[in-house]
Amino acid sequence: MLDFFFKMINKLDENTLDVLKKSISSIFVKVIGMIAAFGISVFLGRSIGASGLGVVNLANQIVMVLLVLAMFGMQHVLVKNIAISNRQNTLQNIKNSVKTAIFFNGSLAIVIATACIIFTYLFAKEVFNNPLLTTPLIIFLIAILPQTLSRVYAAAINGVGKVWQSNLFEQVLTSVFVLLALLIGYLYDISITIINVAILYVSSRFLVFIIAFAYWKRVFQFPKPGNMILKPMLQTALPLLLVSSTSVLATNADTIMLGFLSDTEAVGLYSVASRIAMLTSFMLLVSNSAISPKLAYMYSEGNKKGMQKMVKQTTLGVIITATIFLLLFLFFGKFILSIWGEEFRESYVPLIILCVGQFINVSTGCSGLLLIMCGYEKLHRNISFISVTLNILLNFVGIHYFGIVGAAIATAITIGLENLIKVYYAKKMVGILTLPI
């Protein structure tokens, strides 16, 4: 078995080996984040129940959608611009890009957070018919600014080749800090409430921003002041805003729509199934972080042959991992769900449906990322817009008639169709097939 593994490694080209090397570090970091996120979910599921967990997750999902608006597609622009500039050693361009994003996205985050806080009570009462959502949602909204700035620095850090560090700041540290705080609270017999949990999340996000800022100052030292280059960055970011918005809406539409078409208990049950199903595409998320800067500069150098080989080998690897997870959840899904509590066992069918959707996503590889990094942002935007529209329509019908099962079916269908379309256009426009055939 080990001989077979090493033979497979030896067959990989230089670029794929680099992606694998960076992915290994990212895997370790993401596993820590995944364990922390699942630990939080289990802890809350057992302490505040499905309904309480639903309120926390719903507030988090709403903020994630708003965060995409605050980022305005700039994270992809930063990774692309900084990766190319770092390769060409044009440090002034890096300084300009980061300064522009900090100013623009920071200002936008303040405006979005302020406006949403003003209308939170009306939103919670009229849209979700749950006034109890008001206070935790306001608390979560306070952290939009530090979250936005953390993501700017995370994208910049990714652009200079620090992949696992970028993942640490973008997704992992917050969960680790929240879990540690919950465990300390448990040890000292401090009451766990929805409000306390919201405060923990906000405090952790401020702390992550401070650490990310300090790390960026350490890895990138360029004494000259940066200049504002907002216009060219916005020209690239604007198509990506819709891409990012539709991507996040597609990811969160099911949960948010359950919030106002059903209740927070349904949100709690479904969110656990959704979180577990995402493990199926875990390796794809990791490899995409490592492969995105490489795609940008390889395409700028015209190295399509190297890109094709790297993409196919990477996709084959993530399919193998996804198959293991799919089989694991198929046979042991009910037992895994019972860890959250016996009431969560009814999420088994949605779990399997969502896993199938994610397996299709994994099997198509980095097709969407390929379109973005190779200059076809507008095409990716159009595909994403059509997909999210279909997703919302299917969720509306599915949730109305079948509840959380309908939400899972709608989401799986949309994920499958969207990614197959992206494979077709990646081959047609870039000339690269992401399927490992």
Side-chain angles (χ1 to χ4, degrees):
M1 185 68 180
L2 286 174
D3 289 339
F4 173 76
F5 175 76
F6 286 118
K7 285 180 182 178
M8 291 293 291
I9 294 294
N10 290 330
K11 289 181 180 179
L12 299 179
D13 67 297
E14 178 185 352
N15 292 307
T16 311
L17 280 171
D18 187 44
V19 171
L20 179 62
K21 180 182 176 182
K22 292 181 177 179
S23 294
I24 289 172
S25 301
S26 295
I27 289 170
F28 179 73
V29 170
K30 282 183 175 285
V31 165
I32 293 174
M34 178 184 68
I35 292 171
F38 274 92
I40 293 168
S41 183
V42 172
F43 194 99
L44 297 181
R46 287 192 164 272
S47 59
I48 58 178
S51 182
L53 179 60
V55 171
V56 172
N57 285 338
L58 184 58
N60 248 329
Q61 302 289 60
I62 293 169
V63 168
M64 292 307 296
V65 172
L66 296 174
L67 186 60
V68 170
L69 297 178
M71 285 304 301
F72 210 80
M74 281 290 189
Q75 67 271 34
H76 297 299
V77 179
L78 284 168
V79 172
K80 182 178 178 180
N81 288 358
I82 292 175
I84 294 172
S85 298
N86 190 53
R87 180 83 169 180
Q88 298 171 348
N89 201 34
T90 51
L91 301 183
Q92 183 66 57
N93 289 342
I94 297 176
K95 191 70 172 281
N96 296 344
S97 297
V98 174
K99 179 179 179 179
T100 302
I102 290 294
F103 174 79
F104 175 75
N105 295 114
S107 302
L108 190 57
I110 293 172
V111 172
I112 291 172
T114 303
C116 290
I117 287 172
I118 292 171
F119 295 102
T120 297
Y121 177 75
L122 184 66
F123 188 69
K125 183 180 179 182
E126 298 299 329
V127 177
F128 292 98
N129 195 30
N130 189 353
L132 294 177
L133 180 63
T134 304
T135 303
L137 183 54
I138 289 175
I139 296 171
F140 274 108
L141 287 168
I142 293 171
I144 285 184
L145 177 59
Q147 276 184 279
T148 300
L149 298 180
S150 294
R151 293 205 169 200
V152 168
Y153 286 120
I157 291 165
N158 191 9
V160 296
K162 307 289 185 180
V163 180
W164 73 262
Q165 294 92 332
S166 173
N167 289 324
L168 185 70
F169 296 126
E170 185 172 351
Q171 302 172 356
V172 176
L173 270 185
T174 297
S175 296
V176 171
F177 290 153
V178 171
L179 180 60
L180 288 174
L182 287 172
L183 291 175
I184 292 170
Y186 176 77
L187 290 174
Y188 285 92
D189 201 25
I190 298 173
S191 176
I192 303 299
T193 66
I194 295 172
I195 303 300
N196 289 344
V197 172
I199 293 172
L200 288 179
Y201 268 101
V202 171
S203 303
S204 299
R205 284 163 180 167
F206 272 98
L207 184 57
V208 169
F209 158 64
I210 294 170
I211 297 172
F213 171 76
Y215 183 78
W216 174 249
K217 290 298 182 182
R218 179 184 175 187
V219 298
F220 181 76
Q221 297 177 355
F222 186 68
K224 294 182 180 180
N227 302 312
M228 292 293 293
I229 51 171
L230 185 58
K231 186 176 180 179
M233 288 184 71
L234 280 181
Q235 287 175 341
T236 306
L238 195 56
L240 292 175
L241 169 63
L242 188 55
V243 170
S244 301
S245 300
T246 51
S247 175
V248 170
L249 279 174
T251 305
N252 299 298
D254 43 8
T255 303
I256 294 174
M257 292 183 72
L258 273 169
F260 69 83
L261 291 175
S262 186
D263 53 38
T264 53
E265 183 178 359
V267 172
L269 294 171
Y270 183 84
S271 62
V272 170
S274 180
R275 182 179 293 276
I276 295 173
M278 287 299 294
L279 289 175
T280 310
S281 59
F282 173 74
M283 283 301 299
L284 179 64
L285 297 174
V286 172
S287 63
N288 277 353
S289 296
I291 207 173
S292 55
K294 194 169 283 289
L295 287 174
Y297 71 70
M298 287 177 72
Y299 186 73
S300 69
E301 295 172 352
N303 187 9
K304 284 192 177 182
K305 185 177 180 181
M307 290 172 68
Q308 177 69 85
K309 189 172 184 180
M310 177 181 68
V311 166
K312 281 195 172 185
Q313 290 177 338
T314 303
T315 304
L316 180 60
V318 296
I319 287 176
I320 293 172
T321 308
T323 303
I324 295 171
F325 278 115
L326 182 61
L327 292 174
L328 176 67
F329 300 142
L330 184 63
F331 291 107
F332 302 103
K334 287 186 178 180
F335 169 76
I336 294 171
L337 286 165
S338 69
I339 296 173
W340 276 257
E342 289 301 314
E343 62 182 321
F344 288 92
R345 279 179 174 267
E346 61 184 277
S347 301
Y348 175 74
V349 173
L351 170 62
I352 300 305
I353 295 170
L354 290 169
C355 283
V356 171
Q358 289 299 330
F359 185 81
I360 297 173
N361 176 29
V362 168
S363 301
T364 58
C366 62
S367 52
L369 188 66
L370 192 64
L371 290 172
I372 292 173
M373 291 296 154
C374 296
Y376 295 97
E377 298 94 343
K378 292 183 179 179
L379 175 59
H380 190 282
R381 173 199 64 190
N382 295 338
I383 297 170
S384 298
F385 180 75
I386 294 170
S387 298
V388 78
T389 303
L390 176 64
N391 189 20
I392 292 171
L393 291 173
L394 290 177
N395 264 289
F396 184 83
V397 176
I399 293 170
H400 180 74
Y401 287 102
F402 304 108
I404 60 176
V405 174
I409 293 171
T411 301
I413 290 173
T414 307
I415 290 172
L417 287 176
E418 179 181 5
N419 283 282
L420 290 172
I421 292 170
K422 287 177 182 177
V423 168
Y424 170 77
Y425 278 105
K427 175 62 177 175
K428 181 179 179 180
M429 307 305 293
V430 186
I432 293 177
L433 180 66
T434 56
L435 299 176
I437 55 176

